[in-house]
Amino acid sequence: TEERKESGAMATRLFRLRGRSSFSFSFLGSSTSSSHYSSLTSPSPSSSSFSWSFQTKTTGTAAERESVLKSFSKRDEHHLRTKYKSRRHFGTIAGSSASEIQGLETVPDGVPLTKAYEILRQKGFVFEDEAQAKTIERLNKIHSELANYETSWDQYASEDTPKGLYIQGGVGCGKTFCMDFFFQCLQVSKKLRVHFHSFMLGIHRRLFELQKITGGKDPLVLVAKEIADQASVICFDEFQVTDVADAMILKRLLETLVDHGVVLVMTSNRLPKELYLNGLNRDQFVPAIDLIEKYCDVFPFPVDSPDYRLMGKNSKTWITPITESSIEQFEETFLKLRKKKKVKSGVLEVQGRRVKVPAAAGGVAKFSFASLCQEAKGAADYLTIACSYHTVLLEGVPKLNENKLPLVRRFITLVDVLYEKHVKLVTLAHASVEETYKPLDENHSRDEDFAWDRTVSRLTEMQSKEYLKGSWRGGSGLLRRLEREVMNEEDLRRIWEVYDRDNSGYLSVEELSLLTADVNELKTGRRVVQKEEVVKLFNNVHVCESKGIEWEEFRSYFQREGGFLDVMECHYHFTTACET
């Protein structure tokens, strides 16, 4: 405890030494850095940090706030007024990646979780599902216990601290929906929802940064302090441990968080005792399992829960087998997606590494399986791709077995990242989804065998019409990278090209709405935008006689009005959407 207090005090001194009003800690699941994804940089005092931040709190009396406002210029005054007015709904921390729940706006604030679920069911927004209803009922208990719950690093857990919840279930049964529903309705001033894989990437990145400046102090405690000061409740999606580096630090990290009152809610395909099964040095990870079971109630979904993802097998984005005709079909798909846009090769920078992009046009890119999975690449590389392109074409996926486990692991990770960012995937493969990985000797204690069931489910859902109609979730990552750099005309062009999703040569109202939603998510953690406000913005930018916003209109408007993000943040369209 004394060591943590000392490290916490040191963290505070470090923040002061940097001479900034905020210190940023970004999670890779929804952020990108100056090298295309997560970096631990300090944003300028005038910019809104899409990350964990120690920031001057906008609290106090109205008179105190007004006195602060008077000391700023008119532009800063507008920024701060917007900040006071547009508090994130129920304390969602920017960087959270919970899905928007359709119909949730029809539910009154403050009603029990079970009542809110029943309202959505009666209105036809959700299916009647007994397993999900039971899960919502269990979440309702912790939902009521956590009402107005708040923690800080200076506080410690007590007997009155609510227990968390560990929701275990098969693939596609709806456990993530239940947790997202709980998260969106949770009335807590500081809360975070993040994919666990992305969370751990951010942790390792932060540890690397802090090791340079802590002078031998334990950096893990400093990271835990940043988190505990910023989140009272953390919701982890897809909690799983396959990496020895994660396993070795997880117990101390989780222990430090729960000691300071942070409540954890998780979803996972595995029961706690099955985590990191057969992993290297697993005996050192077992205490983390004991800790999870101590601080979280385990709630398993019924084993016969349906896989809703498998109900949408009606698309042809998985092309198989590889023949002359299928290769021609694959290339024609690329041609249709890029339309008349010129195909270019390029390079993405990832933590000093270079990821080659063989062919790309706007927001569409084509890769080979060999370049993404046979070479030494990981989640960080795939996340960079997912935050750069809304559609990925992957060719040459082979048949795999346990003799090629490194390739299997990379492919599983690739699918997980693309799915999380809702990237559209078109694949040219030697076999069907179910037959792509067929171990010669099936062993469900092997992580790859167990995880493959989830991959099959996700790849199947990614072929469905419902998935293909959905919005790309990587746009805020692209915008975040550009937010931390001086945006030039090339960056502005990149934004226009990526959001011209159909490569028509102009932005439609729908495409501008997606762009505005991503900016809103970047700035506030929420994607809600008002269509009438988007139409007003569209009419302001669009002055030509074409069907949509052409590049020259886009460039001229945002350069004339003071820069893309400044205009989007301060513009009345964005402000009104936030207030609403």
Side-chain angles (χ1 to χ4, degrees):
T1 301
E2 290 304 317
E3 182 183 359
R4 288 179 190 166
K5 287 181 177 178
E6 182 182 350
S7 297
M10 181 178 181
T12 303
R13 291 196 296 274
L14 284 170
F15 302 145
R16 288 172 179 168
L17 285 172
R18 290 181 71 96
R20 303 281 185 137
S21 63
S22 64
F23 190 79
S24 160
F25 175 39
S26 303
F27 284 107
L28 303 188
S30 29
S31 73
T32 54
S33 75
S34 56
S35 64
H36 231 277
Y37 76 91
S38 174
S39 129
L40 290 300
T41 58
S42 294
S44 64
S46 62
S47 68
S48 176
S49 172
F50 187 79
S51 54
W52 290 98
S53 305
F54 284 90
Q55 294 179 325
T56 305
K57 291 186 178 179
T58 55
T59 55
T61 66
E64 289 171 340
R65 292 197 295 269
E66 287 301 322
S67 67
V68 173
L69 290 173
K70 288 178 181 177
S71 66
F72 287 82
S73 66
K74 280 193 172 183
R75 183 179 181 83
D76 288 325
E77 180 177 334
H78 174 85
H79 173 75
L80 287 179
R81 285 188 188 279
T82 301
K83 191 172 183 180
Y84 289 129
K85 289 180 179 180
S86 58
R87 284 287 186 115
R88 287 187 289 276
H89 191 51
F90 293 158
T92 301
I93 292 173
S96 295
S97 56
S99 301
E100 292 290 338
I101 305 298
Q102 189 177 10
L104 193 60
E105 66 278 0
T106 66
V107 178
D109 289 344
V111 302
L113 198 65
T114 49
K115 177 64 175 177
Y117 181 77
E118 182 62 20
I119 291 173
L120 294 189
R121 190 192 64 78
Q122 289 177 355
K123 294 185 177 183
F125 289 110
V126 296
F127 292 111
E128 185 169 357
D129 184 294
E130 184 178 350
Q132 289 187 13
K134 288 181 179 178
T135 306
I136 294 294
E137 185 176 348
R138 178 59 187 84
L139 282 166
N140 184 63
K141 179 176 181 294
I142 187 174
H143 177 265
S144 59
E145 292 173 346
L146 288 173
N148 302 314
Y149 183 71
E150 189 169 352
T151 61
S152 72
W153 180 257
D154 298 326
Q155 298 175 351
Y156 289 87
S158 67
E159 293 181 357
D160 297 328
T161 302
K163 288 190 72 172
L165 192 65
Y166 186 102
I167 306 172
Q168 182 272 332
V171 294
C173 62
K175 57 187 181 295
T176 296
F177 162 78
C178 291
M179 187 182 71
D180 284 351
F181 182 63
F182 160 81
F183 178 84
Q184 296 286 22
C185 295
L186 186 62
Q187 298 192 43
V188 170
S189 61
K190 300 178 298 181
K191 60 183 181 179
L192 171 76
R193 187 276 195 195
V194 64
H195 193 279
F196 182 72
H197 194 65
S198 302
F199 177 82
M200 292 309 298
L201 281 172
I203 294 295
H204 288 298
R205 176 69 178 178
R206 189 72 184 108
L207 290 173
F208 176 76
E209 292 287 329
L210 282 174
Q211 283 172 352
K212 300 176 182 178
I213 57 176
T214 54
K217 290 289 183 181
D218 184 3
L220 190 62
V221 176
L222 301 182
V223 173
K225 172 176 168 44
E226 294 175 5
I227 299 171
D229 267 339
Q230 288 294 299
S232 301
V233 179
I234 302 177
C235 294
F236 290 124
D237 188 32
E238 297 292 351
F239 191 93
Q240 59 175 330
V241 183
T242 58
D243 184 84
V244 64
D246 293 348
M248 294 305 100
I249 68 171
L250 198 54
K251 189 261 182 181
R252 286 203 304 130
L253 176 63
L254 295 182
E255 183 178 47
T256 306
L257 291 176
V258 297
D259 278 353
H260 288 270
V262 177
V263 177
L264 307 176
V265 178
M266 319 176 191
T267 70
S268 178
N269 296 137
R270 288 185 181 271
L271 290 167
K273 289 191 178 297
E274 296 175 349
L275 291 169
Y276 198 51
L277 211 58
N278 302 320
L280 184 65
N281 297 327
R282 188 176 187 267
D283 58 320
Q284 297 182 39
F285 176 73
V286 171
I289 295 175
D290 297 336
L291 184 140
I292 290 170
E293 292 182 331
K294 177 180 179 181
Y295 288 97
C296 296
D297 289 331
V298 178
F299 183 90
F301 257 74
V303 294
D304 58 347
S305 299
D307 186 344
Y308 287 104
R309 298 170 186 160
L310 297 179
M311 297 179 182
K313 299 177 69 173
N314 51 14
S315 182
K316 295 183 179 179
T317 56
W318 186 277
I319 303 170
T320 186
I322 298 180
T323 62
E324 286 188 12
S325 60
S326 63
I327 292 173
E328 184 178 343
Q329 180 185 351
F330 182 78
E331 293 299 333
E332 283 180 358
T333 301
F334 184 44
L335 182 64
K336 289 178 181 177
L337 289 170
R338 70 179 180 85
K339 292 190 174 177
K340 296 181 180 179
K341 284 198 174 178
K342 184 178 179 181
V343 177
K344 302 176 183 177
S345 60
V347 173
L348 302 175
E349 297 290 335
V350 186
Q351 287 183 323
R353 301 190 304 276
R354 294 162 65 86
V355 176
K356 293 182 180 179
V357 183
V364 180
K366 182 172 69 170
F367 298 89
S368 68
F369 178 88
S371 67
L372 292 187
C373 298
Q374 289 182 3
E375 298 178 5
K377 288 186 172 62
D381 305 291
Y382 303 144
L383 189 60
T384 301
I385 294 169
C387 288
S388 301
Y389 303 101
H390 55 68
T391 303
V392 168
L393 290 90
L394 186 66
E395 59 182 333
V397 177
K399 290 184 177 181
L400 301 167
N401 56 41
E402 68 268 37
N403 295 325
K404 297 181 179 180
L405 285 183
L407 277 66
V408 177
R409 281 194 293 270
R410 292 187 191 114
F411 187 55
I412 289 172
T413 302
L414 172 64
V415 172
D416 282 345
V417 172
L418 296 181
Y419 178 86
E420 179 71 15
K421 293 302 177 186
H422 212 105
V423 174
K424 294 172 179 60
L425 178 66
V426 180
T427 310
L428 179 62
H430 282 277
S432 65
V433 170
E434 295 81 2
E435 298 293 323
T436 292
Y437 174 57
K438 275 291 182 182
L440 303 174
D441 177 24
E442 288 197 19
N443 180 3
H444 266 263
S445 65
R446 186 164 48 216
D447 278 330
E448 292 77 14
D449 289 22
F450 186 88
W452 184 250
D453 289 341
R454 180 183 75 251
T455 304
V456 169
S457 175
R458 288 186 164 182
L459 285 171
T460 302
E461 184 188 356
M462 291 168 81
Q463 298 175 62
S464 69
K465 290 181 179 178
E466 290 75 14
Y467 182 91
L468 296 174
K469 287 179 181 177
S471 300
W472 177 46
R473 297 297 300 276
S476 56
L478 171 66
L479 295 172
R480 191 173 309 108
R481 175 182 66 86
L482 299 177
E483 180 187 34
R484 292 179 177 170
E485 301 174 357
V486 177
M487 193 181 297
N488 55 33
E489 186 171 308
E490 182 179 346
D491 296 325
L492 201 59
R493 176 92 186 197
R494 174 72 181 143
I495 292 171
W496 179 82
E497 287 182 340
V498 168
Y499 283 90
D500 177 17
R501 301 206 316 169
D502 58 2
N503 285 337
S504 61
Y506 57 80
L507 296 184
S508 64
V509 172
E510 181 183 4
E511 290 166 337
L512 183 63
S513 179
L514 292 173
L515 172 56
T516 309
D518 283 337
V519 174
N520 200 359
E521 182 180 38
L522 187 151
K523 294 296 183 181
T524 72
R526 289 180 60 77
R527 296 183 57 81
V528 178
V529 293
Q530 301 299 313
K531 184 174 181 179
E532 57 269 23
E533 299 298 337
V534 176
V535 171
K536 290 179 183 177
L537 180 58
F538 179 87
N539 291 334
N540 272 1
V541 181
H542 182 45
V543 295
C544 298
E545 295 182 358
S546 61
K547 294 181 179 180
I549 300 172
E550 297 179 357
W551 157 240
E552 285 301 326
E553 293 177 298
F554 191 80
R555 178 190 62 79
S556 175
Y557 179 82
F558 286 107
Q559 287 185 346
R560 183 179 68 249
E561 297 296 325
F564 175 75
L565 286 171
D566 283 342
V567 171
M568 293 298 281
E569 181 178 359
C570 300
H571 200 282
Y572 70 92
H573 304 291
F574 175 71
T575 304
T576 305
C578 285
E579 293 169 358
T580 305

